[in-house]
Amino acid sequence: MTRIVVLDYGSGNLRSAERAVARAGAEVTVTADWDAALNADGLVVPGVGAFAACMAGLRAVRGDQIIGRRLAGGRPVLGICVGMQILFTKGIEHGVTTEGCGEWPGTVDRLNAPVVPHMGWNTVDVPAGSVLFDGLADARFYFVHSYAARRWDLAPDPAGRIEPPLVTWAEHGDRFVAAVENGPLCAAQFHPEKSGDAGAQLLRNWLGTLG
């Protein structure tokens, strides 16, 4: 059975993520143990709350280093909600800038929308070739967030040697990044564990990429 670690770095939502991934067919452990997190078949990085607090918790357990080490070895990581946001270069909340993990260039900032937070079900604009969203092009997913990456700043490889990431978008006031598939690194701004059958299928699709 596929072995998944849900990284425990003090963020909420750990148990619901654990249950959802287990229902999708994996053996799941919730831990901050360095070796377990490095060696699992897949690592899930959930996150709720403030960008700065999540980064502080992540660094306290060397989670940023675990993510970097796994990706350097081509080992899969899935970020969820703020666990996606911290993968970008920085986050800006209430005028305070916090350095993120820097796996993707870009800034996470407040949604430009009449009503914030963005809370509830929404559709997404899925790119051709997506594996995460296979069979889910018309599905709706559950969002709860006030901040997002509203631009995608990673330039294509000019030599064409590296496959460009697949970026899924959604709209709430303006467009924002709803999910990314980038080799071993995948992430979703919405909550698959709260998205019913569609979220369960997305998790099964992700598990299916782990070999």
Side-chain angles (χ1 to χ4, degrees), residues 164-196:
L166 297 177
V167 181
T168 293
W169 296 85
E171 289 191 21
H172 181 71
D174 58 5
R175 283 183 11 124
F176 64 89
V177 178
V180 182
E181 297 163 71
N182 184 197
L185 182 56
C186 293
Q189 176 61 67
F190 53 83
H191 288 275
E193 74 281 6
K194 296 180 180 179
S195 295

Side-chain angles (χ1 to χ4, degrees), residues 80-97:
I80 296 174
C81 197
V82 185
M84 168 178 168
Q85 294 177 7
I86 53 90
L87 297 169
F88 287 90
T89 304
K90 61 184 177 181
I92 302 175
E93 293 186 358
H94 308 297
V96 177
T97 300

Side-chain angles (χ1 to χ4, degrees), residues 8-30:
D8 183 359
Y9 63 98
S11 174
N13 220 37
L14 296 172
R15 296 304 169 185
S16 58
E18 175 190 20
R19 289 191 295 269
V21 177
R23 284 196 299 268
E27 176 186 317
V28 187
T29 304
V30 178

Side-chain angles (χ1 to χ4, degrees), residues 110-144:
R110 188 173 174 82
L111 288 168
N112 183 21
V115 177
V116 175
H118 173 213
M119 183 181 298
W121 298 86
N122 202 348
T123 56
V124 296
D125 183 8
V126 179
S130 170
V131 175
L132 272 187
F133 292 91
D134 185 31
L136 296 170
D138 299 320
R140 297 168 69 86
F141 298 90
Y142 193 79
F143 292 83
V144 184

